[in-house]
Amino acid sequence: MQTHEIRQRFTQHFVNAGHTAVPSASLILDDPTLLFVNAGMVPFKPYFLGQQTPPFPGGTATSIQKCVRTLDIEEVGITTRHNTFFQMAGNFSFGQYFKEGAIKNAWSLLTNPLDEGGYGLDPERLWVTVFLDDDEAADIWEHTIGVPAERIQRMGMEDNFWSMGIPGPCGPCSEIYYDRGPEHGKDGGPIADDTRYLEIWNLVFMESIRGDGDKKGGFDIVGELPKKNIDTGMGVERVACILQGVDNVYETDLLRPVIDRAVEVTGARYNEGNADDDVRFRVIADHSRTAMMIILDGVTPSNEGRGYILRRLLRRIVRSARLLGASGEVLEEFMNTIMDTMTPSFPEIAENRERIVRVAVTEERAFMKTLVSGTHRFEEAAAATKSAGTSKLSGSQAFELHDTYGFPIDLTLEMAREAGLEVDMDAFDAEMQAQRARAKADNKAKKQGNIDESLYREWVDASPTEFVGYTELNHPGKVIGLIRGGERVGEVSQGQDVEVILDVTPMYAESGGQLGDRGRIVVGDTVLDVHDVQKVGKKLWVHKATVRDGGLDVGQLVTAEVDPTWRHGARQAHTATHLIHAALRQVLGPTAVQAGSMNKPGYLRFDFNYTEQLSDAQLREITTITNEAVDADLAVNTIETSLEEAKAMGAMALFGENYGSEVRVVEIGGPFSIELCGGTHVGHSSQIGPVAVLGESSVGSGARRIEAYAGMESFRYFSKEAALASSLAAELKTPTDELPARIAQLTERLRAAEKEIEALNRQQLVSQSAQYVAKAQQAGQFTLVALTLAEGIGAADLRTVAADVRERLGAVPGVVALASVSGEKVPFAVAVTTEGVGAGVKAGDLVKLLGGYVDGKGGGKPDLAQGSGSNPAGIDAGLAAVRDELTRR
């Protein structure tokens, strides 16, 4: 049974049982505790936490959620049942059925015959575990389902009790295991061997509230939940192993094709006795799928957060392929293969195929350059290790290669073996553990930042705000809530900051990149200045305001007034964002996909996934297309419709956004632009006014940003530019249209003059070389010139002088060490004669010695090296240290 069918059967089974089928959320949610969605229940967390009321008819739901877990990324492939990306099929009950219902639902799907929609598993091969004192679950399994008592095992907190790791809902679990047979391990159930007995389903009976403490049980149960909930998760990949008759998750229909392709690309063999190679093949398969799915949801490689995880995944693929024998680029092959296997379950892959390949290949090419620099650094470290008379590369050097150069440790180990060296893995592991501890502490700190929306729960459930701002700028409303300092209050007075909740408001709450409205709330002599509006639970508008005059009580009738100037500018900028997006896709093609935006009155920025810098010609074309759309006076229409109908219309959706069943489509000029958007817009494109594209820049690997002005801000910008051009024209006595040529001419003359001055200065410096040689002194067997030159001499000139003085020393064991102060930097250089190198002195070693005294670093060849520091006070001591080092030899 193919994985796609396994998914279909699961969903249909629970729909038939009355559950609402919920599409998988994006891997990226607005949750400060998570980089990626890592469990099927994550999108339902607000309902389990009691922050929102479940919107599902009957209070039950089912989903197949895409998940990513990367905590132990280095362990991938070593075991054959864990993936960084996996699909968690789950069913959820919010106060409806409990233990018996969850157990019956799971058992019937697993054991029902194929022709009845089940998976047809042999009940005799299924074992279950329950929490130590969960007699109720054990009784249901034995007397209601009919599982023999000897196949029901009890486990403790670590295995069979669930919580989110922070105070909140928790409860005992019951897990279902499949016996794969004696060839996979010893008899005795999951307690005896959890390799032979494969866990395929976890049923969480959420009934209690836990307090502070660690996840493994170091916490108290502080209460019971008002309603008992069910959260279950079936591992799609693990069930696929069983139903497809394969040994592990890498042999299923989704991942084995990638391994087969890797065999073709690398020439190595899989599963033929080389355990290290087998791990590399599994890393390629696992990471290719995870990276592809992460890119699909809008992430691009970077050096932090989600982008850093993606970068690690892609680089581990490349590294593994190279260790298997690949010499060229590989990611395009692997991405195309995994997209072929995954598209039946995720059709949206097809329309993003080109973009996914582009992001992956761009990162691969960047990593190839990193490999060059990392290899150079390794060769330096290896040479230094051998010259020190040891055969073990230090752990700190290996960690520097890993952390600074992105050099994987197993590639370092491979190269070390080729060089006849070992690696101090104990020290390397200590460095890695310290880094993980820092990351874990940071992650724990982030978990404490989970926003508590329970304060707003009553209003979210009972009195969601009615937004009338698409057609109204002033509207009466009733104050249904006041919050001050994180607490509900009944009244506020002059000078106080407050969050005001109204039953009806014309003020737009920040979303979709558009900032919240500014304005006032007034009643009689009372005036509150509203400086921001935010949404809670996607239903409640919270007005952040300051009481300017008077006071306000809960229950009062007030009038909310949007600042019309603010709204007009916001409409212009937001609508201009749509036009720029459409223009981008015309110029760059469909792979230029929006990755975020921000707009406020008169200004917008637009982020998009693209791997290359835009040319001036492309920017001009984007600007022209945008302003032609403004000039065409295109009608801006809004359509309320279903999500399915909107997609059928061709409306574009944003990555990371979760849309309800009913959506708002903004259409500009028919096919010119059609997007899902809840923002405010002008009625016709001409109302935007001119759009001035300021430029574009990089905001990370594979992500670019365009910034622009709209309306009066564009006019002011153009006026300022025109005034500047007129001023330059007058100053240079040149017509405005000839300014570019005139400025280019002057710039070229200036560059030529600067080069001439540099050459003269260098000649003057070199002419003083004889004076420097005259100051030579003896340091042991070496002739040494160690001087601090005049202030302002840069690194390039210092290197030139050092090389010239070295030549003037003649055929003697000689060393030249020079330093200077240039601005805030301390450049320094060391040159060694041929005879000096022959006597065992290396310029690079002396540069490092000198750099330690001036808070700098450096490197180079044995006969010439240089560096730069920041502490001029250490120059004399550094030069003295060079002299002492030579004297000791």
Side-chain angles (χ1 to χ4, degrees), residues 225-254:
L225 289 174
K227 294 182 179 180
K228 295 180 178 181
N229 303 316
I230 287 294
D231 159 26
T232 84
M234 185 196 81
V236 172
E237 282 77 11
R238 294 189 180 189
V239 172
C241 286
I242 296 168
L243 297 180
Q244 294 175 18
V246 297
D247 287 341
N248 61 70
V249 293
Y250 296 96
E251 301 292 328
T252 64
D253 59 316
L254 297 185

Side-chain angles (χ1 to χ4, degrees), residues 424-680:
D424 187 346
M425 288 303 299
D426 289 340
F428 174 81
D429 289 339
E431 296 268 12
M432 288 295 295
Q433 288 297 329
Q435 185 186 63
R436 287 174 182 155
R438 291 191 295 270
K440 188 174 182 180
D442 181 60
N443 186 51
K444 185 176 180 181
K446 289 181 179 177
K447 282 192 174 185
Q448 305 308 317
N450 191 38
I451 298 173
D452 181 11
E453 295 183 352
S454 59
L455 180 65
Y456 306 92
R457 168 81 186 265
E458 176 186 334
W459 295 305
V460 172
D461 287 350
S463 305
T465 305
E466 179 185 355
F467 175 62
V468 296
Y470 292 130
T471 57
E472 305 286 340
L473 293 184
N474 301 307
H475 203 280
K478 180 180 179 181
V479 178
I480 60 174
L482 295 172
I483 297 175
R484 183 168 181 268
E487 296 182 359
R488 297 173 60 163
V489 295
E491 61 182 15
V492 289
S493 57
Q494 184 173 346
Q496 292 181 332
D497 294 327
V498 61
E499 294 181 0
V500 182
I501 301 171
L502 305 176
D503 61 346
V504 183
T505 183
M507 293 191 176
Y508 183 80
E510 179 178 347
S511 62
Q514 180 176 335
L515 298 187
D517 275 332
R518 307 297 187 262
R520 306 191 309 165
I521 295 174
V522 298
V523 54
D525 294 331
T526 293
V527 178
L528 285 81
D529 293 317
V530 178
H531 52 80
D532 192 14
V533 187
Q534 294 290 326
K535 280 185 189 178
V536 174
K538 297 188 177 182
K539 296 181 177 180
L540 196 71
W541 269 237
V542 177
H543 306 73
K544 298 188 176 184
T546 301
V547 184
R548 188 204 307 172
D549 296 305
L552 193 64
D553 299 332
V554 171
Q556 276 189 284
L557 294 176
V558 299
T559 298
E561 302 175 349
V562 178
D563 180 339
T565 302
W566 175 278
R567 173 65 74 83
H568 177 62
R571 283 173 171 166
Q572 289 177 311
H574 199 152
T575 313
T577 304
H578 287 249
L579 299 187
I580 285 180
H581 191 190
L584 265 171
R585 292 174 67 80
Q586 284 191 35
V587 175
L588 304 179
T591 59
V593 178
Q594 181 171 355
S597 66
M598 190 282 282
N599 47 79
K600 62 182 180 179
Y603 169 83
L604 67 93
R605 68 172 186 238
F606 184 89
D607 296 346
F608 57 101
N609 292 324
Y610 202 67
T611 55
E612 301 170 9
Q613 181 179 355
L614 272 60
S615 67
D616 291 341
Q618 287 173 320
L619 277 177
R620 285 195 299 270
E621 188 176 0
I622 291 165
T623 303
T624 299
I625 292 173
T626 301
N627 283 286
E628 285 176 346
V630 171
D631 187 59
D633 194 29
L634 303 176
V636 180
N637 300 311
T638 57
I639 305 165
E640 301 283 345
T641 186
S642 67
L643 181 58
E644 291 72 21
E645 180 62 26
K647 289 181 178 179
M649 294 166 60
M652 295 183 62
L654 298 184
F655 288 114
E657 288 286 336
N658 293 316
Y659 298 96
S661 57
E662 294 297 314
V663 295
R664 188 168 184 265
V665 177
V666 176
E667 177 193 73
I668 306 175
F672 182 80
S673 172
I674 180 168
E675 298 187 34
L676 299 181
C677 184
T680 64

Side-chain angles (χ1 to χ4, degrees), residues 28 58 92 102 152 159 200 229 260 290 334 355 375 415 445 448 454 457 502 528 560 640 643 657 673 693 701 858 876:
I28 306 161
F92 309 92
I152 303 171
D159 297 295
I200 57 176
N229 303 316
D260 292 340
T290 305
F334 298 152
R355 178 178 61 84
T375 299
M415 294 180 68
Q448 305 308 317
S454 59
R457 168 81 186 265
L502 305 176
L528 285 81
E640 301 283 345
L643 181 58
E657 288 286 336
S673 172
V693 175
S701 178
D876 290 344

